[in-house]
Amino acid sequence: MGTFADRLRQEIAYQDLTRKELAERSQVKLRALDMYLGSQGSMPSADAAVRIAKALNVTVEYLVTGEKETHPSSNEIQKQQLYWDLKKCSENTRNFLETAVHLFAEYEKKQNQT
């Protein structure tokens, strides 16, 4: 069945993340993540486990017990990646991209009405 560390490693690999990216997303220190992933198998606090699970879009139950595994669809993963990439952009860039997306959406809407 595996351990918390095994499931955490699997999710990181499945979602093609680095440990640093997961640390940023979950707001858990990289050093702490390394302890959870290490051979000693340190367990996170409940708060840290919740943040890690949310960042990976899985349940805490799955990470701790291996039960009720939930993998998001590839579309959901793409949306999450887009969100995190946008967070890395400046506010001006995000505003520009938001305007562009709205314009393309309106264009598509008009094209589909004809």
Side-chain angles (χ1 to χ4, degrees):
M1 180 180 275
T3 64
F4 179 89
D6 294 333
R7 286 182 287 280
L8 185 55
R9 269 189 230 98
Q10 289 169 353
E11 282 302 317
I12 290 169
Y14 176 80
Q15 296 188 30
D16 196 28
L17 294 172
T18 65
R19 293 176 353 274
K20 184 178 179 183
E21 288 171 326
L22 179 57
E24 290 171 1
R25 288 182 184 187
S26 63
Q27 297 179 337
V28 171
K29 291 182 180 183
L30 182 57
R31 188 174 191 150
L33 274 178
D34 287 340
M35 286 176 32
Y36 309 146
L37 291 164
S39 60
Q40 296 169 353
S42 298
M43 288 293 287
S45 67
D47 180 57
V50 167
R51 286 186 276 140
I52 292 167
K54 277 187 172 184
L56 292 171
N57 198 29
V58 297
T59 64
V60 174
E61 181 180 14
Y62 165 69
L63 288 176
V64 174
T65 68
E67 296 178 17
K68 297 186 181 180
E69 179 177 2
T70 56
H71 282 295
S73 67
S74 60
N75 190 29
E76 285 299 313
I77 292 172
Q78 288 173 337
K79 286 181 199 175
Q80 288 177 355
Q81 187 61 52
L82 180 60
Y83 170 78
W84 291 108
D85 287 345
L86 285 170
K87 267 190 96 163
K88 295 175 189 173
C89 295
S90 70
E91 185 175 350
N92 286 342
T93 300
R94 284 193 304 270
N95 289 339
F96 172 80
L97 292 171
E98 182 179 349
T99 301
V101 168
H102 290 304
L103 289 172
F104 279 112
E106 284 299 314
Y107 174 79
E108 292 284 327
K109 182 178 176 183
K110 288 179 183 175
Q111 290 297 312
N112 290 331
Q113 290 176 350
T114 58

